[in-house]
Amino acid sequence: MSSTLGVLLKQLDPSLTIAMVERLDHIAQESTSGWNNAGTGHAAYCELNYTPETAEGKINASKAFDINASFEVSTQFWAYLVEQGALPEPQSFINPTPHVSFVWGENNVNYLRKRFEALSNSAQFAGMEYSEDPEVLKQWMPLVMEGRNPNEKVAGTRVSWGTDVNFGALARHMIEYSQRAGNFDLYLGHEVSAIKRQGIDWLVTAKDKHSTTPLELSARFVFLGAGGAALLLLQKSGVDESLGYGGFPVSGQWLVCKNPDIVKQHLAKVYGKAAIGAPPMSVPHLDTRIIDGEHALLFGPFAGFTTKFLKLGSFFDLFASLRPSNLIPMLKVGLTSFDLIKYLITEVLQTRKSRMVALREYYPQAQDHDWSLAFAGQRVQIIKKDPKTGGKLEFGTEVVAAKDGSLAALLGASPGASVAVTAMLQVIEKCFADQLKTSAWQTRIKTMIPSYGQSLTEDAELLKQVRQHSLTTLKIIPPTA
């Protein structure tokens, strides 16, 4: 998020001076790291939690349309940066990987059929394939279908132009470009300890892990893009807009296979249905991953609970976030989220054997010795005030900005990095509203993102044009497609 915002702002105004403060000694080692997330270019092609079924049996696809449009904005921006030479060859951070939804059992098959019908009639999902034929599904995902009960009712959908994204590599590329562009300072190994008003500016103080001399930076605008720790930093700022927000941390684990004989048989991100009460990022999926040239398969994630807000954070993070303003919302969520709590307890108690049983629902012939357990990144879901219930748990991301636009933070999790460009455009719209009204900024932003200010959900022809250009430039589809 932070690297995206930095590059957007430098494109809009090259004269800006930007500093980035990172608590670790290397870039993008927390949630953005390729091994700490699924790497799915979330476009709502395969993620069933974005299309819930209502009590009346209808599919609510509104979130899917919004997320799909947001991902199109991201690919437009990445394609622009590739064309400008700001990003290297696309294969270094994004690769074509079909997005597949897979279900079994009559009720689930009926659901997927209705989902396909609700989505495929729109231009955004035109070209999505649907099948209940085991032979067709075997072509899409051989490992998933091999050894499966032939009498089992199954169904799947596929979008061939899905993507696997190494967000860690993408962030590093953007920061390297920012350094080449100039007027950009990167401070690694510095942990922010204070954010205080200083007249019309902010004074940001950070501790240097390798020195006793603190770093002090004065800035007219501050963005807090620290993953789960963004909440703690937002609270340090003392802005009124931080009041009432809390965080619910969820940890994750993956089963990882790097056996090349197995990995080469699966090229897809295969998503299923989540367990009752499961948070959105815990939808089970069997993924092709391409991270810095290394191919692997990931299955999971298996959720858990911890009081850390970062993978390399402190067990005191949750307690440090408690404030009089967020105690009631957090208590209300804790007392009403029985399904989620039950789910997390079940996940925490899982053994290796039970995890392999879960894997074999998606890959029936999986062998224990081919898979190892790895820890994913931390995710902190938003808890906020609610006038009706007193507090509610939000799934997704949310931009929180000070009234005067001098400070902003990004809270929440999935779909996260996939919609980074849309999220950071929201920051710019809230915090740089006057500049954005100028013809210079309008011209530049529409050069970077041709669809800016227009609806890709409503304008099918515009969608077709920008999607073709983005997918061709990023080498997701061949130029002749």
Side-chain angles (χ1 to χ4, degrees):
M1 292 289 178
S2 300
S3 55
T4 297
L5 179 60
V7 173
L8 277 168
L9 288 173
K10 284 294 266 186
Q11 292 291 317
L12 291 169
D13 185 353
S15 69
L16 289 175
T17 297
I18 297 176
M20 178 178 282
V21 181
E22 166 59 54
R23 67 188 288 268
L24 301 180
D25 291 332
H26 301 282
I27 291 298
Q29 297 301 299
E30 270 285 348
S31 299
T32 313
S33 167
W35 292 111
N36 285 345
N37 57 71
T40 303
H42 288 296
Y45 294 137
C46 58
E47 306 92 333
L48 303 182
N49 55 300
Y50 297 153
T51 49
E53 188 172 9
T54 67
E56 294 76 29
K58 296 182 178 180
I59 301 299
N60 182 350
S62 58
K63 188 172 184 179
F65 290 127
D66 289 344
I67 289 175
N68 183 270
S70 291
F71 187 66
E72 293 289 345
V73 170
S74 291
T75 55
Q76 287 177 67
F77 183 55
W78 300 339
Y80 165 81
L81 293 179
V82 168
E83 291 178 319
Q84 297 300 307
L87 290 177
E89 278 294 299
Q91 293 94 327
S92 68
F93 66 91
I94 188 169
N95 286 276
T97 309
H99 283 194
V100 177
S101 298
F102 176 69
V103 298
W104 57 89
E106 188 169 354
N107 288 340
N108 289 335
V109 169
N110 290 337
Y111 159 79
L112 191 64
R113 189 186 304 116
K114 287 190 289 186
R115 179 183 188 269
F116 171 73
E117 292 168 354
L119 295 177
S120 59
N121 289 327
S122 73
Q124 287 175 270
F125 294 87
M128 174 184 278
E129 303 170 82
Y130 175 85
S131 182
E132 297 178 21
D133 184 343
E135 291 304 313
V136 172
L137 298 177
K138 189 173 182 178
Q139 294 175 22
W140 295 355
M141 42 186 172
L143 292 185
V144 173
M145 295 304 296
E146 192 69 38
R148 190 167 293 277
N149 181 353
N151 298 319
E152 187 175 47
K153 194 171 180 62
V154 293
T157 60
R158 183 178 74 155
V159 171
S160 61
W161 60 90
T163 56
D164 174 74
V165 187
N166 183 345
F167 290 108
L170 178 59
R172 290 191 292 272
H173 291 325
M174 288 194 287
I175 291 170
E176 288 165 3
Y177 166 71
S178 298
Q179 290 176 306
R180 295 196 303 270
N183 290 332
F184 179 87
D185 294 313
L186 175 63
Y187 297 95
L188 298 174
H190 285 75
E191 184 164 8
V192 173
S193 56
I195 306 171
K196 295 181 179 180
R197 290 278 192 182
Q198 190 180 60
I200 61 173
D201 293 340
W202 288 94
L203 179 65
V204 178
T205 304
K207 298 177 181 177
D208 185 343
K209 291 167 58 179
H210 307 290
S211 168
T212 57
T213 305
L215 171 70
E216 290 190 339
L217 297 170
S218 182
R220 188 63 51 88
F221 169 74
V222 174
F223 175 66
L224 308 174
L231 173 62
L232 297 172
L233 294 180
L234 181 63
Q235 292 173 333
K236 287 181 187 292
S237 73
V239 297
D240 291 341
E241 290 75 12
S242 68
L243 298 177
Y245 280 96
F248 187 94
V250 179
S251 62
Q253 295 174 314
W254 300 105
L255 285 173
V256 181
C257 174
K258 296 184 180 181
N259 183 336
D261 293 332
I262 295 171
V263 173
K264 68 183 181 182
Q265 297 180 59
H266 184 85
L267 179 61
K269 291 184 177 289
V270 179
Y271 275 61
K273 291 197 76 174
I276 295 174
M281 84 288 288
S282 298
V283 174
H285 43 100
L286 180 62
D287 288 357
T288 293
R289 293 306 324 272
I290 305 170
I291 302 175
D292 302 326
E294 183 178 8
H295 291 240
L297 297 184
L298 266 63
F299 177 76
F302 299 97
F305 177 76
T306 174
T307 52
K308 288 184 177 183
F309 278 5
L310 294 170
K311 185 175 180 179
L312 298 176
S314 166
F315 287 108
F316 295 104
D317 287 342
L318 176 59
F319 308 106
S321 73
L322 297 178
R323 298 288 188 278
S325 67
N326 66 20
L327 277 178
I328 291 178
M330 293 183 73
L331 286 171
K332 288 288 186 179
V333 167
L335 292 172
T336 57
S337 301
F338 298 117
D339 286 343
L340 176 59
I341 293 170
K342 179 182 177 182
Y343 168 78
L344 291 175
I345 292 173
T346 302
E347 290 284 285
V348 169
L349 295 177
Q350 282 210 69
T351 62
R352 176 174 176 81
K353 182 178 179 180
S354 61
R355 293 189 182 100
M356 289 301 299
V357 168
L359 169 60
R360 290 188 183 103
E361 290 187 329
Y362 287 83
Y363 174 17
Q365 296 186 335
Q367 300 297 312
D368 287 27
H369 60 266
D370 290 321
W371 297 81
S372 59
L373 192 66
F375 285 86
Q378 289 291 110
R379 300 292 183 267
V380 179
Q381 305 296 336
I382 302 166
I383 293 176
K384 59 194 294 188
K385 290 181 178 179
D386 183 81
K388 293 182 179 180
T389 64
K392 63 178 179 178
L393 184 64
E394 290 275 5
F395 294 113
T397 52
E398 183 171 333
V399 172
V400 179
K403 183 183 294 185
D404 64 358
S406 65
L407 180 143
L410 186 90
L411 305 180
S414 180
S418 296
V419 299
V421 180
T422 295
M424 295 304 97
L425 288 173
Q426 291 174 10
V427 171
I428 291 172
E429 289 164 355
K430 289 185 177 184
C431 301
F432 296 85
D434 291 339
Q435 296 94 317
L436 194 55
K437 293 175 184 176
T438 65
S439 59
W441 276 45
Q442 282 292 313
T443 299
R444 288 170 183 163
I445 205 165
K446 288 178 181 176
T447 299
M448 294 185 287
I449 303 162
S451 72
Y452 182 76
Q454 303 172 78
S455 173
L456 292 175
T457 300
E458 297 175 2
D459 193 331
E461 186 57 35
L462 176 62
L463 171 67
K464 181 180 178 181
Q465 292 175 5
V466 298
R467 178 178 285 176
Q468 179 74 23
H469 179 262
S470 298
L471 295 182
T472 301
T473 303
L474 296 174
K475 299 183 179 179
I476 304 303
I477 60 174
T480 54

